[in-house]
Amino acid sequence: MDKKSLSERDICTKYITPAIENAGWNKHTQLFEEVSFTDGKIYVRGKLTARGERKRADYILYYKPNIPIAVIEAKDNKHSVRAGIQQALDYARILDIPCVFSSNGDGFLFHDRTATDESIETELSNDEFPTPEQLWEKYKQYKGITTPTAERIVSQDYYFDGTSRRPRYYQQIAVNRTVEAIAKGQNRILLVMATGTGKTYVAFQIIHRLWKSGAKKRILFLADRNSLIDQTRRGDFRHFKDKMTVVKHRQVDKSYEIYLALYQGLSGNDEAANIYKQFSPEFFDLIVIDECHRGSANEDSAWREILSYFNAATHIGLTATPKETNVTSNSEYFGDPLYTYSLRQGIDDGFLAPYRVLRVGLNIDLEGWRPPAGFKDKNGNEVEDRIYNRTDFDRNIVVDERTELVAQKLTEFLTGFDRFAKTIVFCVDIDHAERMRTALAKCNPDLVAENYKYIMQITGDNDEGKRELDNFINPEERYPVIATTSELMTTGVDAQTCKVIVLDANINSMTKFKQIIGRGTRINEDFGKLYFTILDFRNATDLFADSAFDGDPIRVKVTGQDEDLGKDDEDSGTEDDYEGNENPEEDGNGVSEPSPEPYTPPQPPPPPREKVYVNGIEVSVLVSRELYFDQHGRPITVSLKDHTRDIITTKYGSLSDFLNLWTATEKKEAIVSELLIQGVLVDALLDAVDKPVDLFDLICYLAYDQPPLTRKERANNVKKRNYFTKYGEQARKVLEALLDKYADEGVENIESMEILRVKPFDEIGSAYEIISQFGGKSQYLEAVKELEIELYKPTA
C-alpha cells in the first residue's frame, strides 16, 4: 500500500503508535491518543449556546498519571516529518511539557526544550524513539529536580477516588509546579486561579501528595468563612477521613494530621483568644491559605500574626484575585505567582461560563438629583440641599422609587428569560438588601405566595437567610431563587447554577468585582447553565475595560525596612462570618467607621451618619443597552459596524476573497462559527440591521458597502429564473419549500438534514422518500448546494 495514501489516523495506527510502544511506553497508563485538554469555548447566540473546537493533542505521554512529559503531533505522509512541530510546541507551552515531537510516520522530529545548543532539534528514526526513563531525565532537568529526595516527592501519585474524575490540564500544572517547588525548598508560594476553576481540588491534591510522600506531616488549611470550611470538609478533603479535624469552639486537639480552621477561630483581640499559640511554632510544616487576598496580605493584620507565628512552615496562598495596591501586596509576601489561570483563559478553554452584560442607567443616577427647596424626608426633616448621585443612593440617601424600579426591571428580565433562574442581587449594605427583598416580593406576589423562599435575604446578620445559603447553591433545590445580599456572597459561594448577577452596589475594588463576577462563572450543563447575565444598575462593569481586570498582578507596593504605610483602605476589616457579622466595619446604615492610624492612640469614632429616606421622586430608565465584548473579552467601544468591518476586512482582503470562500464552503454554518471565534457578534448585528437579511448580505453590506437583499428578495429572484424546471414535480415541491424556509430562517437551517422531519416536508413524505426523489442522499445534497449557488448569484 502506498504510504502517502494513508490517512493521518492510519499513519498513527500503523507507524507512530508501534514506534512508541516499542520504546517501552505502556499503552494503558502512559500513552494516550487524541487527548482533548479543553472543553471548547461556549458561544451564545440569543438563548442558544454552542461550543467551539476543543484543543486536542494527537499524543500525550505520561511518566506517571497526571505527570505529562511529552507531546506528539502527527501528520499524514504527504507532509514532512517536521510539519507538526509548531503546533506541538504551542501545546507544549500550554501544558508545561518539555519534550516535543512531530511525526509523519517516517520518523520523528524531537524538539528538546531543555537544550540551549544545536541539539535543540534532532531527527529520529522510528526505532530511536526515547524510552520513558530517558524522557523522565529530560523532565527532571527541565524542572530542576536534582536530588533523589526531590525526585521521590515529585513522583508521588495523585489521589485517585475510583471514579472517572481527572484533574484538568491547568490543575495538573498548578499541582505539579507547587509540589516541585516545595521539593526544591521553596517555602512561599502563590497560586492565582479564577473563581470556579477548582482551587480547593488543587489544594487537596497538593496536600495529599506532600503528605503521602512524607514531605509534610501536619498541615493547616486556613479560611475566613464557615461556608468555605464546610465546603472544603464535605468536598475533596473528605478523603482524609479520620486524619482530619475542624478546629472549632476554640478547642485544640493535637492528635490529627490535617487541620481546617477559620482565622477568626484561631485568633482574637486578647491573648487568651489566640489559641494558635497552643501549638508550638514548629507544629505545622505546611499552611494553605484560602482566599489569601482577604487579609493575609496586610502586614499588620491578625491573620498575618498566625502566619508569622508558624514562620518555619511552607505557606501556599490561593486566590482568584491577588491583592496588589500601594499598601497591600500578596506577591510581596508570597512572591510572584507560581502559576496563573485567569478568567479569560477559563472562558476561552470552555471551563468557565461566558457572560452577557445589560446596563440600565436610571435618570437620577446619571443626571443626579437635587431636592426642591424645603423638600422633606419621610420623617418630616428637611433634606440637605445638594446634588445626590449614584454613590449616595442607598448609602447616604434612600429613594423608595429607585429601589422599586430596580426590582421591576429585574422582574421584567426574569419574566422574559426564566423566572426560576438562580439570581444574586448585590446591594450596598444589609439595609439595602432587606429593602430590595421586599421590593422584589411585591413585584412577584404570585411566586412568593406559592413559596415565601422564592426571594431570600442572605446576609451575615440574618440567620434565616444564612440557613438557606446551602439550598441556594444546591442545583437540586428549587428555592431560594433570588438572593439579595451585600457582602456575604461575594466570595466562597459555589453557586453552580447562578444564571443572573445583579449589580446595584458601587464597586470600586477590582478584587471585589472579580469575586462577584466569579459567582456566575461556573458551568453546570446538566442544569442548563452554560452562560450567565449581568444586570448592571451602577456602571460597575466599567471595570471590564480596566487593564487590571484579567491581567497578571503587578506589584506596586515598595517600602523601606522601617517604613509604615498604614492600613489598606479597601477590605482591611475582617468580614467575620465566624462571629456572625457580615461586615464589622459597616453598620445597618451602611456607614463605615474609620480605623485609627497605626501607632496613634485610639480616638472615639464620630457618630454614624444617619441615612435619609425619601419618596415621591420620579425615577425612570434613561438608557438601557447591552454591552458587547470582543474576542479578547474587552468591551467594544466603537460601533458594532466599525468593529465588524475591521475584523472582516482583516480576514478577507477584498469582496471577491469573501465571495470565493462563501461559494467554496460546503456548509455556511462553518463560516458563522469561524466569524464568532474571530469576534463578530452575528446576532447583535442582525438585530441592529433590523432587516430579514442573512449573514452573507450583512457582511457584504457592513464590510464592503454592498446594498443588502432580504432573504425573501433572494428567494424570489431564484423563483423568477425558473431554475426548478429540470427537477420532477415532487423534487420541485421540496426545493420550493426549502426556499421558503430560507426566506423565513436563513441558509444554515436548509443545510441540515433534520429539516426534512418538520413541516411542510413531513407532509410531502418521509426523509427517505424525499431524498429518493433526487436519486439518493448525495444527489439531494448536491441539489441543496446548487440551490445555495442560485441564491447568491449576483443580480443584474
Side-chain angles (χ1 to χ4, degrees), residues 442-474:
K442 290 180 177 180
C443 289
N444 298 273
D446 54 335
L447 295 180
V448 173
E450 185 179 312
N451 190 317
Y452 74 93
K453 292 182 181 180
Y454 177 74
I455 304 160
M456 293 292 291
Q457 174 193 339
I458 302 180
T459 52
D461 71 325
N462 189 291
D463 291 338
E464 293 82 3
K466 284 198 294 184
R467 281 194 290 270
E468 290 299 323
L469 180 56
D470 284 346
N471 288 331
F472 181 82
I473 65 180
N474 183 352

Short mmCIF file of all heavy atoms in Angstrom, two decimals, residues 442-474:
data_model
loop_
_atom_site.label_atom_id
_atom_site.label_comp_id
_atom_site.label_asym_id
_atom_site.label_seq_id
_atom_site.Cartn_x
_atom_site.Cartn_y
_atom_site.Cartn_z
N LYS A 442 -42.92 42.26 46.27
CA LYS A 442 -44.10 42.97 45.76
C LYS A 442 -44.22 42.83 44.25
O LYS A 442 -45.34 42.88 43.71
CB LYS A 442 -44.02 44.44 46.15
CG LYS A 442 -44.21 44.70 47.65
CD LYS A 442 -44.11 46.18 47.97
CE LYS A 442 -44.36 46.44 49.45
NZ LYS A 442 -44.25 47.88 49.77
N CYS A 443 -43.12 42.68 43.55
CA CYS A 443 -43.15 42.52 42.08
C CYS A 443 -43.47 41.08 41.68
O CYS A 443 -43.81 40.83 40.51
CB CYS A 443 -41.81 42.93 41.48
SG CYS A 443 -41.47 44.69 41.52
N ASN A 444 -43.33 40.13 42.60
CA ASN A 444 -43.54 38.72 42.29
C ASN A 444 -44.47 38.07 43.31
O ASN A 444 -44.15 37.03 43.90
CB ASN A 444 -42.19 37.98 42.28
CG ASN A 444 -41.25 38.48 41.21
OD1 ASN A 444 -41.28 38.04 40.08
ND2 ASN A 444 -40.38 39.42 41.59
N PRO A 445 -45.65 38.66 43.54
CA PRO A 445 -46.53 38.14 44.60
C PRO A 445 -47.01 36.72 44.33
O PRO A 445 -47.22 35.96 45.27
CB PRO A 445 -47.68 39.13 44.61
CG PRO A 445 -47.70 39.74 43.24
CD PRO A 445 -46.26 39.81 42.83
N ASP A 446 -47.19 36.34 43.06
CA ASP A 446 -47.68 35.00 42.76
C ASP A 446 -46.69 33.93 43.21
O ASP A 446 -47.07 32.93 43.84
CB ASP A 446 -47.98 34.87 41.26
CG ASP A 446 -46.79 35.23 40.39
OD1 ASP A 446 -45.91 36.02 40.84
OD2 ASP A 446 -46.72 34.74 39.24
N LEU A 447 -45.39 34.12 42.91
CA LEU A 447 -44.39 33.11 43.26
C LEU A 447 -44.05 33.15 44.74
O LEU A 447 -43.74 32.11 45.33
CB LEU A 447 -43.14 33.30 42.41
CG LEU A 447 -43.34 33.07 40.90
CD1 LEU A 447 -42.05 33.27 40.14
CD2 LEU A 447 -43.89 31.66 40.65
N VAL A 448 -44.10 34.33 45.35
CA VAL A 448 -43.85 34.42 46.79
C VAL A 448 -44.99 33.76 47.56
O VAL A 448 -44.77 33.11 48.58
CB VAL A 448 -43.65 35.89 47.21
CG1 VAL A 448 -43.55 36.01 48.73
CG2 VAL A 448 -42.40 36.47 46.56
N ALA A 449 -46.23 33.92 47.06
CA ALA A 449 -47.37 33.26 47.71
C ALA A 449 -47.25 31.75 47.60
O ALA A 449 -47.63 31.01 48.53
CB ALA A 449 -48.67 33.74 47.08
N GLU A 450 -46.70 31.28 46.49
CA GLU A 450 -46.50 29.85 46.28
C GLU A 450 -45.44 29.30 47.24
O GLU A 450 -45.58 28.21 47.79
CB GLU A 450 -46.10 29.60 44.83
CG GLU A 450 -45.97 28.16 44.43
CD GLU A 450 -45.60 28.03 42.96
OE1 GLU A 450 -46.24 28.70 42.12
OE2 GLU A 450 -44.66 27.28 42.67
N ASN A 451 -44.36 30.06 47.42
CA ASN A 451 -43.30 29.67 48.37
C ASN A 451 -42.56 30.94 48.76
O ASN A 451 -41.92 31.57 47.93
CB ASN A 451 -42.34 28.67 47.73
CG ASN A 451 -41.38 28.07 48.74
OD1 ASN A 451 -40.83 28.76 49.60
ND2 ASN A 451 -41.15 26.76 48.64
N TYR A 452 -42.64 31.29 50.07
CA TYR A 452 -42.04 32.55 50.51
C TYR A 452 -40.52 32.56 50.34
O TYR A 452 -39.88 33.62 50.34
CB TYR A 452 -42.39 32.81 51.98
CG TYR A 452 -41.64 31.95 52.98
CD1 TYR A 452 -40.46 32.40 53.55
CD2 TYR A 452 -42.12 30.70 53.34
CE1 TYR A 452 -39.77 31.61 54.46
CE2 TYR A 452 -41.45 29.92 54.24
CZ TYR A 452 -40.26 30.37 54.81
OH TYR A 452 -39.58 29.59 55.70
N LYS A 453 -39.92 31.38 50.14
CA LYS A 453 -38.47 31.31 49.95
C LYS A 453 -38.06 31.63 48.52
O LYS A 453 -36.87 31.53 48.18
CB LYS A 453 -37.96 29.92 50.35
CG LYS A 453 -38.06 29.65 51.84
CD LYS A 453 -37.49 28.28 52.18
CE LYS A 453 -37.61 28.01 53.68
NZ LYS A 453 -37.06 26.67 54.03
N TYR A 454 -39.02 31.99 47.67
CA TYR A 454 -38.67 32.39 46.30
C TYR A 454 -37.62 33.50 46.33
O TYR A 454 -36.68 33.50 45.54
CB TYR A 454 -39.92 32.85 45.55
CG TYR A 454 -39.65 33.34 44.14
CD1 TYR A 454 -39.35 32.44 43.12
CD2 TYR A 454 -39.70 34.70 43.83
CE1 TYR A 454 -39.08 32.90 41.83
CE2 TYR A 454 -39.45 35.15 42.56
CZ TYR A 454 -39.14 34.25 41.56
OH TYR A 454 -38.87 34.71 40.29
N ILE A 455 -37.77 34.46 47.25
CA ILE A 455 -36.79 35.53 47.43
C ILE A 455 -36.34 35.50 48.88
O ILE A 455 -37.17 35.52 49.80
CB ILE A 455 -37.39 36.92 47.11
CG1 ILE A 455 -37.98 36.93 45.70
CG2 ILE A 455 -36.33 38.02 47.27
CD1 ILE A 455 -38.97 38.04 45.48
N MET A 456 -35.03 35.45 49.10
CA MET A 456 -34.50 35.44 50.46
C MET A 456 -33.38 36.47 50.59
O MET A 456 -32.57 36.65 49.68
CB MET A 456 -33.94 34.06 50.83
CG MET A 456 -34.97 32.95 50.94
SD MET A 456 -36.10 33.13 52.35
CE MET A 456 -35.00 32.84 53.72
N GLN A 457 -33.36 37.14 51.75
CA GLN A 457 -32.23 37.98 52.10
C GLN A 457 -31.18 37.08 52.74
O GLN A 457 -31.43 36.44 53.76
CB GLN A 457 -32.67 39.07 53.09
CG GLN A 457 -31.51 39.91 53.64
CD GLN A 457 -31.95 40.74 54.84
OE1 GLN A 457 -33.14 40.98 55.03
NE2 GLN A 457 -30.99 41.16 55.65
N ILE A 458 -30.00 37.00 52.10
CA ILE A 458 -28.92 36.16 52.64
C ILE A 458 -27.75 37.08 52.98
O ILE A 458 -26.92 37.41 52.13
CB ILE A 458 -28.51 35.06 51.63
CG1 ILE A 458 -29.73 34.19 51.28
CG2 ILE A 458 -27.39 34.21 52.19
CD1 ILE A 458 -29.44 33.07 50.29
N THR A 459 -27.74 37.51 54.23
CA THR A 459 -26.70 38.41 54.72
C THR A 459 -26.18 37.89 56.06
O THR A 459 -26.79 37.04 56.69
CB THR A 459 -27.25 39.84 54.91
OG1 THR A 459 -28.45 39.78 55.70
CG2 THR A 459 -27.58 40.47 53.57
N GLY A 460 -25.05 38.44 56.49
CA GLY A 460 -24.39 37.92 57.68
C GLY A 460 -25.18 38.06 58.95
O GLY A 460 -24.96 37.31 59.91
N ASP A 461 -26.14 39.00 58.99
CA ASP A 461 -26.89 39.23 60.22
C ASP A 461 -28.21 38.47 60.24
O ASP A 461 -28.95 38.55 61.21
CB ASP A 461 -27.17 40.73 60.39
CG ASP A 461 -28.20 41.23 59.39
OD1 ASP A 461 -28.20 40.71 58.25
OD2 ASP A 461 -29.00 42.11 59.74
N ASN A 462 -28.53 37.77 59.16
CA ASN A 462 -29.85 37.17 59.01
C ASN A 462 -29.73 35.65 59.09
O ASN A 462 -29.34 34.99 58.11
CB ASN A 462 -30.47 37.61 57.68
CG ASN A 462 -31.94 37.20 57.57
OD1 ASN A 462 -32.24 36.03 57.47
ND2 ASN A 462 -32.83 38.19 57.59
N ASP A 463 -30.05 35.08 60.25
CA ASP A 463 -29.86 33.64 60.45
C ASP A 463 -30.74 32.81 59.52
O ASP A 463 -30.31 31.78 59.00
CB ASP A 463 -30.16 33.27 61.91
CG ASP A 463 -29.10 33.83 62.86
OD1 ASP A 463 -27.98 34.11 62.38
OD2 ASP A 463 -29.40 33.99 64.06
N GLU A 464 -31.99 33.26 59.32
CA GLU A 464 -32.89 32.50 58.43
C GLU A 464 -32.31 32.45 57.02
O GLU A 464 -32.33 31.40 56.36
CB GLU A 464 -34.28 33.14 58.40
CG GLU A 464 -35.06 33.05 59.70
CD GLU A 464 -34.66 34.14 60.69
OE1 GLU A 464 -33.82 34.99 60.32
OE2 GLU A 464 -35.17 34.13 61.82
N GLY A 465 -31.82 33.58 56.55
CA GLY A 465 -31.25 33.63 55.21
C GLY A 465 -29.99 32.78 55.10
O GLY A 465 -29.81 32.04 54.12
N LYS A 466 -29.12 32.87 56.10
CA LYS A 466 -27.88 32.09 56.06
C LYS A 466 -28.15 30.59 56.04
O LYS A 466 -27.41 29.83 55.41
CB LYS A 466 -26.98 32.46 57.24
CG LYS A 466 -26.27 33.80 57.07
CD LYS A 466 -25.07 33.94 58.00
CE LYS A 466 -25.47 34.00 59.44
NZ LYS A 466 -24.29 34.25 60.31
N ARG A 467 -29.23 30.19 56.72
CA ARG A 467 -29.58 28.77 56.71
C ARG A 467 -30.00 28.30 55.31
O ARG A 467 -29.94 27.12 55.01
CB ARG A 467 -30.69 28.49 57.72
CG ARG A 467 -30.19 28.40 59.16
CD ARG A 467 -31.25 27.78 60.07
NE ARG A 467 -32.39 28.66 60.27
CZ ARG A 467 -32.48 29.56 61.25
NH1 ARG A 467 -31.48 29.69 62.12
NH2 ARG A 467 -33.54 30.33 61.38
N GLU A 468 -30.45 29.25 54.47
CA GLU A 468 -30.88 28.90 53.11
C GLU A 468 -29.75 28.96 52.09
O GLU A 468 -29.95 28.66 50.91
CB GLU A 468 -32.01 29.83 52.67
CG GLU A 468 -33.32 29.61 53.40
CD GLU A 468 -33.88 28.21 53.19
OE1 GLU A 468 -33.73 27.68 52.07
OE2 GLU A 468 -34.46 27.65 54.14
N LEU A 469 -28.55 29.36 52.53
CA LEU A 469 -27.44 29.50 51.58
C LEU A 469 -27.12 28.18 50.90
O LEU A 469 -26.93 28.12 49.68
CB LEU A 469 -26.21 30.05 52.30
CG LEU A 469 -24.94 30.26 51.44
CD1 LEU A 469 -25.24 31.18 50.26
CD2 LEU A 469 -23.81 30.83 52.28
N ASP A 470 -27.08 27.08 51.68
CA ASP A 470 -26.79 25.78 51.08
C ASP A 470 -27.86 25.38 50.07
O ASP A 470 -27.55 24.77 49.03
CB ASP A 470 -26.69 24.71 52.16
CG ASP A 470 -25.36 24.77 52.92
OD1 ASP A 470 -24.45 25.47 52.43
OD2 ASP A 470 -25.26 24.16 53.99
N ASN A 471 -29.11 25.70 50.34
CA ASN A 471 -30.18 25.38 49.38
C ASN A 471 -30.04 26.21 48.12
O ASN A 471 -30.33 25.73 47.01
CB ASN A 471 -31.55 25.63 50.02
CG ASN A 471 -31.90 24.60 51.07
OD1 ASN A 471 -31.45 23.46 50.99
ND2 ASN A 471 -32.69 25.00 52.06
N PHE A 472 -29.61 27.47 48.27
CA PHE A 472 -29.45 28.32 47.09
C PHE A 472 -28.38 27.76 46.16
O PHE A 472 -28.54 27.77 44.93
CB PHE A 472 -29.09 29.75 47.51
CG PHE A 472 -28.93 30.69 46.34
CD1 PHE A 472 -30.03 31.29 45.75
CD2 PHE A 472 -27.67 30.95 45.80
CE1 PHE A 472 -29.89 32.13 44.65
CE2 PHE A 472 -27.52 31.80 44.72
CZ PHE A 472 -28.64 32.39 44.13
N ILE A 473 -27.28 27.28 46.72
CA ILE A 473 -26.18 26.82 45.88
C ILE A 473 -26.35 25.36 45.45
O ILE A 473 -25.59 24.88 44.60
CB ILE A 473 -24.82 27.01 46.57
CG1 ILE A 473 -24.70 26.14 47.82
CG2 ILE A 473 -24.60 28.48 46.90
CD1 ILE A 473 -23.37 26.28 48.54
N ASN A 474 -27.34 24.66 46.00
CA ASN A 474 -27.58 23.27 45.63
C ASN A 474 -28.41 23.22 44.34
O ASN A 474 -29.57 23.64 44.32
CB ASN A 474 -28.33 22.56 46.76
CG ASN A 474 -28.53 21.08 46.47
OD1 ASN A 474 -28.25 20.58 45.37
ND2 ASN A 474 -29.04 20.35 47.45
#
